Amino acid sequence: MSSERPKLGPDIPKVITGWNSRTGRVIYLTADRDWSESLADASVMTGDQAQEALRFASTDQVRVSDPYFMQVTQDGRISGRETLRETIRAQGPTNHPMFGKQAGDL
Amino acid sequence: MYRYDEFDENLVRQRARQFRGQVERRLSGELPEEHFKPLRLQNGVYLQLHAYMLRVAIPYGQLDGRKLRGLADIADRYDKRYGHFTTRQNIQFNWIRLEDMPEVLDRLADVGMHAIQTSGNCIRNVTSDPFAGAAADEVEDPRPWCEIIRQWSTFHPEFSHLPRKFKIAVSGGGHDRAAIRVHDIGLDLRRNSDGEIGFEVVCGGGLGRTPHVGVTVRDWISKPELLSYLEAIMRVYNRHGRRDNKYKARIKILVNELGEATFRSLVEEEFAAQNEREKVILPLAEVDRIEAYFAPPAFDAAPAASPTLDEARRLNGDLDRWARHNLRSHKAPGYTSILVSLKPLGAAPGDATSDQMRAMADIADRFAGGDIRVAHEQDLVLTHVRLEDVPAVFAALQTAGLATANGGMITDIIACPGLDYCNLANARSISVANSIQAAFSDPDLEDMIGPLHLNISGCINACGHHHVGHIGILGVDKKGEEFYQVLFGGRADERAAIGEIAGPGLKHEDIAPALKRVVQRYLSLRSSPEETFIDALERLGQAPFREALYAAS
Ligand code: SF4
């Protein structure tokens, strides 16, 4: 793993995120075990379901690199102590508003 | 400058071909990320917050027009029309797709460039003085020795799996502009008592989690013996350096744990024990061959001052201010070196657009014999410019948005990419840099302040060299919020020192106003306008500045 992220307890709502292996873009795991570049498509999980999904993600190496849990609220908004980092990942660099997803550059 | 011969060319091409195969295997699923990661890192490919990042080596910061245009083409074709120059005198592209990497490496090879030695636990890209070969105060041009070390260290089998990365810097013996005392090994060209030129060897410096100023292990070593001596150091490190804990694996920890005297005697023993077959004695003809690549251009005989420039400065206040801050003395009368600031207010320190790269290449070809350098301060340098041509160079730089008049001043901030780009970051660096620039955007105020080095890192890895800024800023994470520790009193020159943390961290929005108070305090306390910030700090100690920093809280 290139990202040593904070441990999240089983009850904390989370999504799985990583990078598209081919392009390097930020992606999120969806409910049907596909990957989307949009956080809105991500599947919010807890407990065993989340662990099982992370196991799947870790074997899905062709499509994703370095998948990990990212904390969200029940309705899928970024939360927790990595909020700024994950917001920047989801949107793009704050100093370059013309780059990244914030610029529609999906 | 050094030109690749057939051997170099083959090596780089072979490496690019090999990586193409590795990328294909990664993308087909044959190679899992876990196995691919060390391979991509060996080719300068990192996975950052938004995308893959490619770090391209610029050995000792030396570029020419062809190379810079090649980089501009890569920025246009595979990235977002810009690149980021780093404190290791390299360039990084932030948005390259992995599937495009092999092609990018091929294009780099077309212009004699590569990404070798930009990552991994090997001897990294050698760094040097960006004014090498031009500086008025140097004993000798250090670049031939950087090149010799580059050739010796590239893919050196014995030193490809060191306990940790290893950084070497070489300075030409004048004022230290290469920060040699905070490198794993720092070399300084100097004369011995017989007047012969060799090297002082400094070892065990470094920044990061455990910053140290290096110690002199040898006052002087002759040129022919240099590589053997370096091998002796590397062997002691390879044998005794810790591999069980990556935070304790750098040579600075070894030097510190063994103590200076023990470390020195181990190196000297190793050096003395080398038999004739082991010694790397460079044939003089080879040294001559490499030195010839760095022969200075034929300088025109010119008077030391230029009435044309003087008159232009008198008529143009912007030119005059820029010339005051960005021109550097040159060893040839009638010539100057120019620091081209990549720190316009509000931009990411070290960024240059592809258009600016091309403009720099054109200006260098026209006015500076095609010679361009990258400075570890994340600026560019034009080395051999006739004083007569300075007004024309200034005008061309202005057109390209490259004429910011802040060389060495408080807004010429070193800042790493921080949390806007870097996967390891705790806090943003660029936005803090920009807020400080905004606070000191009045050029008259900046003039009044004079030289002040301000360095910012987004985490303890210290890529922004915060420990050696006169004022250093370190981004930390406190329960999910960005905070910034301020350090005072660091310096990277021949009097290298590690800055001291002033106290508790400040919030992002409080940094710029706090530094304004610190600078006001300096202005009110300095003994004369000639006393620089760092001199005043050394005279008065941290207390008054610390008090000003926290005055509002
Ligand atoms: S200092 Fe830290 S945040 Fe800045 S570039 Fe280095 S690793 Fe990234």
Side-chain angles (χ1 to χ4, degrees):
Chain A
M1 294 273 288
S2 63
S3 316
E4 285 167 30
R5 311 305 352 147
K7 298 250 178 297
L8 301 180
D11 299 334
I12 292 178
K14 47 187 80 86
V15 301
I16 293 173
T17 182
W19 291 264
N20 179 315
S21 301
R22 185 170 289 272
T23 63
R25 291 173 189 212
V26 173
I27 49 176
Y28 304 93
L29 187 66
T30 65
D32 54 0
R33 300 218 158 164
D34 206 347
W35 293 93
S36 168
E37 292 192 1
S38 170
L39 176 57
D41 298 334
S43 164
V44 179
M45 297 168 280
T46 53
D48 290 349
Q49 185 204 7
Q51 290 298 343
E52 173 52 33
L54 186 62
R55 269 194 293 280
F56 161 77
S58 306
T59 58
D60 195 13
Q61 297 250 343
V62 175
R63 295 194 295 173
V64 67
S65 292
D66 290 353
Y68 64 91
F69 285 141
M70 171 187 124
Q71 187 174 347
V72 290
T73 57
Q74 289 289 1
D75 56 353
R77 277 174 297 120
I78 298 167
S79 74
R81 64 175 293 170
E82 302 234 288
T83 297
L84 180 59
R85 169 195 155 91
E86 293 303 342
T87 304
I88 290 172
R89 277 183 82 240
Q91 295 181 357
T94 62
N95 67 305
H96 280 148
M98 63 293 207
F99 301 146
K101 296 181 183 182
Q102 60 200 348
D105 180 19
L106 278 170
Chain B
M1 64 180 276
Y2 182 74
R3 292 208 177 281
Y4 274 17
D5 58 18
E6 212 179 308
F7 177 80
D8 294 304
E9 164 99 25
N10 280 340
L11 197 81
V12 168
R13 295 269 177 210
Q14 217 177 43
R15 181 66 172 240
R17 261 199 310 278
Q18 195 184 42
F19 190 54
R20 180 178 289 277
Q22 290 160 352
V23 169
E24 277 164 13
R25 285 192 287 143
R26 169 72 188 102
L27 295 179
S28 72
E30 225 181 294
L31 260 184
E33 173 63 12
E34 184 192 350
H35 295 163
F36 177 66
K37 186 176 171 184
L39 301 172
R40 69 168 160 78
L41 286 174
Q42 279 168 21
N43 289 283
V45 179
Y46 289 70
L47 190 49
Q48 297 287 27
L49 283 188
H50 310 288
Y52 290 101
M53 179 269 275
L54 175 68
R55 182 178 295 155
V56 178
I58 304 177
Y60 37 95
Q62 175 79 61
L63 284 171
D64 61 13
R66 179 169 161 260
K67 285 184 163 59
L68 197 50
R69 286 189 194 91
L71 293 171
D73 290 346
I74 287 168
D76 279 352
R77 211 181 156 114
Y78 304 99
D79 205 276
K80 295 187 186 295
R81 309 177 83 89
Y82 77 103
H84 174 76
F85 289 98
T86 75
T87 53
R88 300 277 312 145
Q89 300 178 297
N90 291 324
I91 187 169
Q92 294 176 176
F93 292 110
N94 286 316
W95 301 90
I96 300 189
R97 301 154 73 98
L98 182 62
E99 56 193 348
D100 290 337
M101 281 306 168
E103 220 171 290
V104 175
L105 292 192
D106 283 344
R107 282 181 176 258
L108 284 173
D110 290 344
V111 292
M113 299 187 82
H114 55 75
I116 296 162
Q117 290 175 298
T118 59
S119 177
N121 295 337
C122 61
I123 299 178
R124 298 285 187 91
N125 185 34
V126 180
T127 54
S128 190
D129 177 3
F131 298 97
D137 62 353
E138 78 185 5
V139 172
E140 204 172 83
D141 187 347
R143 289 173 302 160
W145 291 95
C146 294
E147 178 54 30
I148 286 165
I149 293 167
R150 185 192 74 76
Q151 295 192 14
W152 160 77
S153 63
T154 302
F155 302 147
H156 193 308
E158 196 178 334
F159 309 132
S160 298
H161 295 281
L162 295 168
R164 277 290 272 149
K165 58 188 167 187
F166 203 93
K167 298 175 180 175
I168 302 178
V170 191
S171 171
H175 180 56
D176 178 7
R177 288 170 291 261
I180 64 162
R181 278 161 214 284
V182 286
H183 278 75
D184 296 288
I185 292 179
L187 300 170
D188 196 19
L189 278 152
R190 60 174 48 197
R191 288 177 199 281
N192 65 7
S193 50
D194 296 333
E196 193 187 338
I197 297 176
F199 298 90
E200 177 190 354
V201 183
V202 177
C203 193
L207 303 176
R209 196 171 292 264
T210 328
H212 283 287
V213 172
V215 298
T216 299
V217 281
R218 247 302 175 121
D219 287 330
W220 193 86
I221 187 91
S222 72
K223 287 177 176 179
E225 293 172 304
L226 176 70
L227 293 183
S228 293
Y229 200 76
L230 293 182
E231 289 220 356
I233 295 176
M234 300 307 298
R235 285 188 175 165
V236 169
Y237 174 49
N238 229 351
R239 193 176 316 134
H240 299 281
R242 287 180 61 170
R243 289 172 190 268
D244 59 323
N245 179 344
K246 82 173 192 174
Y247 300 119
K248 301 204 168 192
R250 295 289 291 267
I251 197 170
K252 61 190 173 187
I253 306 290
L254 181 68
V255 173
N256 205 45
E257 280 182 359
L258 289 175
E260 192 180 323
T262 310
F263 179 79
R264 184 181 297 116
S265 61
L266 284 174
V267 171
E268 290 295 335
E269 270 167 38
E270 179 65 41
F271 182 57
Q274 287 173 354
N275 62 37
E276 286 314 305
R277 272 188 43 226
E278 274 178 301
K279 280 198 194 323
V280 197
I281 303 289
L282 268 177
L284 270 179
E286 181 59 9
V287 177
D288 289 348
R289 186 183 76 84
I290 290 176
E291 276 180 346
Y293 285 112
F294 299 94
F299 297 116
D300 297 339
S306 157
T308 319
L309 174 59
D310 294 345
E311 178 62 5
R313 287 179 68 164
R314 206 177 56 74
L315 296 173
N316 181 344
D318 290 343
L319 167 64
D320 184 56
R321 190 188 298 275
W322 173 82
R324 235 180 309 125
H325 297 317
N326 294 45
L327 299 191
R328 299 291 181 269
S329 57
H330 197 285
K331 63 183 174 192
Y335 282 78
T336 184
S337 294
I338 297 176
L339 186 134
V340 178
S341 166
L342 296 181
K343 318 289 175 56
L345 304 192
D351 277 10
T353 66
S354 52
D355 287 343
Q356 289 177 323
M357 293 182 214
R358 285 195 192 91
M360 266 302 281
D362 292 347
I363 295 167
D365 282 349
R366 192 157 158 225
F367 297 108
D371 194 327
I372 306 155
R373 315 285 176 81
V374 183
H376 78 80
E377 292 88 352
Q378 300 174 287
D379 293 315
L380 297 177
V381 168
L382 293 165
T383 34
H384 310 301
V385 179
R386 285 160 26 121
L387 287 174
E388 293 285 308
D389 291 332
V390 166
V393 172
F394 175 67
L397 289 172
Q398 256 186 330
T399 306
L402 288 168
T404 309
N406 62 359
M409 312 297 279
I410 191 168
T411 60
D412 184 8
I413 297 171
I414 295 179
C416 76
L419 190 56
D420 282 303
Y421 281 96
C422 175
N423 200 19
L424 302 173
N426 284 328
R428 287 172 296 164
S429 306
I430 298 167
S431 56
V432 178
N434 293 158
S435 70
I436 297 167
Q437 286 180 323
F440 293 97
S441 59
D442 173 3
D444 292 331
L445 172 64
E446 190 163 36
D447 263 4
M448 200 192 302
I449 299 166
L452 199 165
H453 298 169
L454 201 153
N455 300 357
I456 308 175
S457 304
C459 83
I460 195 66
N461 288 324
C463 304
H465 296 182
H466 64 275
H467 298 109
V468 290
H470 301 161
I471 298 176
I473 296 177
L474 166 65
V476 293
D477 168 89
K478 258 201 210 167
K479 298 198 178 116
E481 208 186 331
E482 296 169 299
F483 273 82
Y484 295 88
Q485 284 180 346
V486 175
L487 294 81
F488 286 128
R491 53 196 302 167
D493 59 9
E494 55 280 3
R495 290 170 54 204
I498 304 297
E500 268 180 61
I501 296 174
L506 297 168
K507 290 187 173 190
H508 191 292
E509 64 271 23
D510 293 337
I511 281 286
L515 292 187
K516 240 178 148 170
R517 291 193 299 274
V518 168
V519 169
Q520 288 302 345
R521 183 64 57 90
Y522 152 65
L523 292 174
S524 70
L525 291 177
R526 66 185 177 187
S527 58
S528 74
E530 283 70 47
E531 188 179 45
T532 61
F533 175 82
I534 187 69
D535 289 342
L537 184 74
E538 286 174 2
R539 176 172 62 85
L540 296 161
Q542 214 198 75
F545 301 99
R546 185 181 187 285
E547 199 270 328
L549 187 74
Y550 295 108
S553 35

